[in-house]
Amino acid sequence: MTGRAPASLAELLHTDRDAIVEDWAARVAPLFATLRLSHEQVVDALPSILTELHASLVEAEANPRDTPPLHHSEAAGVHGRQRLRLGVSVSLLTREYALLRDCILDRAGRADLDVPLAQVRVLCTCIDNALAQAAIPFAFDSAERRHAEAEERERFFQLSPDMFSIAGMDGYFKRVNAYFVQVLGWSEAELCQHPFMELVHPDDRESTQAEMRKLSQGIPTLRFENRFRTRDGRYRWLAWTSRPVPELGLLYAAARDITEQKTVAQERERLLEAVRDSEARFRNMADHAPVMLWVTDAQGLTTYMNRGWYAFTGQTEATGLGLGWFDAIHPDDLLRTQRTFGDAFALRQSFRLDYRLRGADGHYRWTVDTGSPRFDADGHFLGYIGSVIDISDRKQAEVDREALLARESAARREAEEANQLKDEFLATISHELRTPLTAILGWVQLLRTGNLSEPRRERAMETIERNARSQGQLIEDLLDVSRIVSGKLKLDVAPVDLSAVVQQALESVRPAADARGIEVRSTVDTSSSVMGDPHRLQQVVWNLLSNAVKFTPRGGHVRLVVARHDSTVELTVEDTGQGISEAFLPHVFERFRQADSGSTRKTGGLGLGLSIVRHIVEMHGGTVSAASDGEGRGATFTVRLPLSATQRPDPALPPSPRP
């Protein structure tokens, strides 16, 4: 028969059976994708079913006028039982046999086989019979399953850990399970005897009735809580889920005893409320505390700062929390603060440090920051808590106290020094006054004898006059100091030609300079004129020149220069004398100050001349300064006086003459 087309449907099932099986398996496989069946499980008894179909078609072809008999299909029964074990539903089983009919007819169409209607009818009848045989196990299984499910539902109803109940729309329980009885303590008969609303807590009855009205409208209850009275008179919280069946007038409900959860929740809520109250009190106290408070977590990031910090620094939570508070610290204190905080944090130790904190006005103020580590009950580190206090006033008080102590110490030193200077001055003045007086008295006694020759008599008179003048100068200096201290030193102001003043002073000191072999040179700008007291200005020049001559050794020289500079006149006295030490130079114009009392006594003087010079110069609106390269290297004194208002600098005038 190979190589020719089948002549009938029976012959087609015989020759193309394997192709029909593969085509059918390919079409059925997607229906069982979720079951993950193998190819053999999908095909199962299909070849045997095709063999039975072939036999029925052959018999129908042999007796075309008779109705084909319906044979028991053992293969279809096996196929149905296998599908039942695999979990296939009846609808999928029906789809399998429909696909089998479609595959056979499609195969006949591809083979150009003209199938008589009678054979199609036989084919469909045989396939329907096979389907009925395959579905028989499903029918028996469905009845058994319904019975088993009913028993299982009853078992679940009674043994469930939930409180199951069936109630009517009339408000009475119809059935309750064992756990329902166990929770409430009432027997099932007692629960069904009275309306269940009598067991509901009075405070919950209104809401329960509202929920019943919703159920009567067919709206299920997803969750509803109320309290039911137990047999011992207490109430237990129940959480209900209900579904109404209006056509039966019943309510199917499940409840759970949530009394313990409610108690725990209420306790938890009470504790949370206590925590919230405590936190609110803490925040209220912290925000109104007179200090700035802060809290960090275990990583060192700031998680809380009170209102005082934000008010002081002008920061916000966005800029201050975390590590943002470092931005408000003075740059000079930042590294030290970070190091101290980091070291204490690593060791879990308390710390205290001072730093300057920028205020909201941009000014920095001194603060003290104190922090302590926090631990829980198990000793786990939680972070730090600390406070910041503004100590600017205290810092200022400390600075003021240090300054006061320094001033007191300086005043004490000055007092001690003044006392010492007073003692030295008294010793000096007594010596300076006694020395010329002794010479005068000695020569007077010699003169009274009348035995002196004329030359010695002249010498005596000269010595007496010189010492009297020296003593007079000392007394005059003392009087000038007294006038300065009392503010009674007066000036007779008039236009003064400095060249004349300088010339008179030079003539006064030249004899003493010549006697000691000291060369005195001068360069004077004759156009210099000032407003002042000529007598006092001469006293200034004489003091400077006499000091220069006094402290210049034999063979030295003294140079005086008067020159005009812009609107001032400078008078400079320069010598090659013993000079001034660097330590004594700042005190050279102070009263009673002498660099070396021994040398001072040797050269004479009370140490008042330069202080008088400074006061007189300042009274004339000028300044006086001293300079020296050190001991043994001479000294230079410079007096600067303003030019007279009647004589302004003239650019056309020639420069000051040079020596």
Side-chain angles (χ1 to χ4, degrees), residues 439-553:
I440 292 172
L441 291 175
W443 282 107
V444 167
Q445 289 175 357
L446 290 176
L447 286 173
R448 282 183 174 178
T449 60
N451 297 326
L452 293 178
S453 62
E454 189 60 29
R456 285 179 62 81
R457 184 182 176 87
E458 281 296 324
R459 181 182 174 189
M461 297 300 291
E462 181 182 346
T463 302
I464 291 173
E465 182 181 3
R466 184 176 66 252
N467 283 280
R469 291 182 181 277
S470 175
Q471 195 170 40
Q473 184 61 48
L474 292 176
I475 295 172
E476 187 63 30
D477 286 346
L478 288 173
L479 292 175
D480 284 343
V481 170
S482 176
R483 296 187 188 100
I484 291 172
V485 171
S486 62
K488 295 181 179 180
L489 185 64
K490 304 297 182 182
L491 298 180
D492 295 328
V493 180
V496 179
D497 183 4
L498 278 183
S499 61
V501 171
V502 168
Q503 188 62 35
Q504 293 175 6
L506 285 172
E507 292 176 357
S508 298
V509 301
R510 196 175 296 279
D514 293 342
R516 300 184 60 186
I518 297 173
E519 180 185 4
V520 178
R521 293 176 291 176
S522 65
T523 303
V524 180
D525 183 353
T526 58
S527 65
S528 301
S529 175
V530 299
M531 292 296 293
D533 187 328
H535 173 69
R536 292 300 180 183
L537 290 177
Q538 183 178 355
Q539 184 179 358
V540 168
V541 178
W542 181 86
N543 263 314
L544 294 177
L545 287 173
S546 61
N547 267 358
V549 171
K550 183 193 302 183
F551 293 105
T552 299

Side-chain angles (χ1 to χ4, degrees), residues 77-336:
V78 172
H79 181 72
R81 288 191 293 275
Q82 186 253 15
R83 288 297 192 253
L84 180 62
R85 288 195 305 273
L86 294 177
V88 177
S89 64
V90 175
S91 61
L92 287 180
L93 184 70
T94 303
R95 181 68 177 146
E96 284 187 75
Y97 283 88
L99 288 174
L100 176 61
R101 182 183 62 248
D102 294 343
C103 288
I104 294 173
L105 295 177
D106 288 346
R107 194 72 184 175
R110 287 197 296 271
D112 293 330
L113 178 64
D114 186 12
V115 181
L117 183 60
Q119 290 188 358
V120 173
R121 185 180 299 113
V122 171
L123 175 66
C124 292
T125 301
C126 292
I127 290 177
D128 290 341
N129 180 55
L131 173 60
Q133 297 293 327
I136 290 174
F138 284 86
F140 282 109
D141 180 72
S142 181
E144 293 175 358
R145 185 178 302 167
R146 283 195 296 273
H147 179 70
E149 287 176 354
E151 292 182 348
E152 185 64 27
R153 282 196 298 271
E154 180 65 20
R155 187 181 305 111
F156 178 76
F157 183 79
Q158 294 297 339
L159 301 180
S160 174
D162 289 330
M163 301 169 62
F164 285 153
S165 66
I166 301 174
M169 293 294 183
D170 56 0
Y172 285 83
F173 285 119
K174 306 304 179 182
R175 286 201 64 189
V176 294
N177 68 345
Y179 189 60
F180 204 107
V181 172
Q182 177 184 342
V183 170
L184 297 182
W186 304 97
S187 66
E188 184 174 3
E190 290 172 328
L191 289 171
C192 296
Q193 189 176 4
H194 301 282
F196 57 74
M197 196 64 68
E198 294 180 359
L199 302 178
V200 177
H201 192 284
D203 295 342
D204 299 337
R205 287 177 184 173
E206 184 177 351
S207 59
T208 304
Q209 290 171 348
E211 195 65 29
M212 285 294 296
R213 287 193 293 271
K214 291 168 57 178
L215 288 168
S216 65
Q217 297 170 8
I219 302 173
T221 297
L222 300 180
R223 183 177 178 87
F224 175 73
E225 297 177 0
N226 62 6
R227 286 163 286 184
F228 260 66
R229 188 175 75 248
T230 63
R231 191 179 185 86
D232 58 7
R234 294 181 297 174
Y235 285 89
R236 300 194 71 83
W237 277 98
L238 302 180
W240 295 89
T241 301
S242 305
R243 182 169 295 278
V245 184
E247 60 271 17
L248 300 178
L250 297 177
L251 300 174
Y252 291 86
R256 287 202 173 187
D257 183 5
I258 60 171
T259 305
E260 300 300 328
Q261 295 92 314
K262 275 286 186 179
T263 303
V264 172
Q266 290 171 354
E267 181 64 18
R268 179 173 176 272
E269 185 62 29
R270 187 186 66 80
L271 293 176
L272 287 176
E273 185 64 25
V275 170
R276 285 192 291 267
D277 290 344
S278 176
E279 183 177 357
R281 286 195 300 271
F282 168 76
R283 286 184 176 272
N284 186 51
M285 290 188 298
D287 287 338
H288 292 85
V291 298
M292 294 169 272
L293 301 177
W294 54 267
V295 179
T296 73
D297 58 14
Q299 286 70 45
L301 301 177
T302 304
T303 57
Y304 170 77
M305 286 178 168
N306 73 335
R307 192 180 303 168
W309 174 276
Y310 299 125
F312 185 92
T313 63
Q315 288 187 321
T316 63
E317 289 188 358
T319 59
L321 296 182
L323 298 177
W325 64 280
F326 282 133
D327 297 337
I329 296 177
H330 194 284
D332 295 343
D333 302 335
L334 180 58
L335 184 60
R336 173 175 56 84

